[in-house]
Amino acid sequence: MQEIPMNTASLYFGKSARLDAWLLHFLSENNLEYTIDPDKNASQEQMRFMLSLEENQVYLPCSDLLVPHLLSSKLDSDLTRRYHAKWVALVKLVRRYVPDKYTRKNYSAVQT
């Protein structure tokens, strides 16, 4: 992507094919894309009405600080460190509260 949007308010479909593909992937992977589950997800028209968005503007449920990190082609060391800390906390919780060995392994496999 030539110019990385710096906040959620600067995300629009139609700016570039690469950004459109990334946005669609993000929305799909996070189960936010309307066509994946129309009974649970709002359409673009509904989102525009509820959030007062402009035509083709996209809403991502994340902070403005996270947007450049998500859109960057390189993995930021600060972001990597934060993800790792959250992963360690999750593993500790799973080890402590999930007694079934098979289920614990399933949770651990999510990382790979």
Side-chain angles (χ1 to χ4, degrees):
M1 283 172 243
Q2 297 96 336
E3 190 176 313
I4 296 175
M6 298 310 289
N7 57 46
T8 56
S10 61
L11 294 171
Y12 289 83
F13 278 117
K15 283 189 170 183
S16 77
R18 194 169 181 184
L19 179 61
D20 287 356
W22 186 91
L23 288 168
L24 184 58
H25 173 76
F26 180 90
L27 293 171
S28 299
E29 282 295 308
N30 290 285
N31 297 309
L32 300 171
E33 171 57 35
Y34 173 72
T35 57
I36 290 175
D37 193 347
D39 292 334
K40 294 181 182 174
N41 297 331
S43 68
Q44 281 189 310
E45 293 79 18
Q46 290 168 324
M47 293 295 285
R48 237 186 0 256
F49 174 76
M50 291 185 295
L51 300 171
S52 188
L53 300 174
E54 296 176 11
E55 185 76 26
N56 293 322
Q57 188 176 11
V58 180
Y59 169 75
L60 296 185
C62 64
S63 71
D64 286 347
L65 294 174
L66 192 55
V67 171
H69 294 293
L70 291 173
L71 292 171
S72 176
S73 59
K74 62 178 183 163
L75 194 53
D76 181 70
S77 61
D78 182 48
L79 186 60
T80 303
R81 186 175 34 74
R82 289 180 186 188
Y83 275 123
H84 180 72
K86 298 298 181 192
W87 178 253
V88 168
L90 175 65
V91 168
K92 287 178 181 178
L93 286 170
V94 168
R95 286 181 181 159
R96 184 172 183 173
Y97 294 106
V98 179
D100 179 56
K101 185 177 180 180
Y102 181 81
T103 305
R104 278 197 311 270
K105 283 188 177 189
N106 282 346
Y107 284 121
S108 297
V110 171
Q111 180 185 21
T112 57

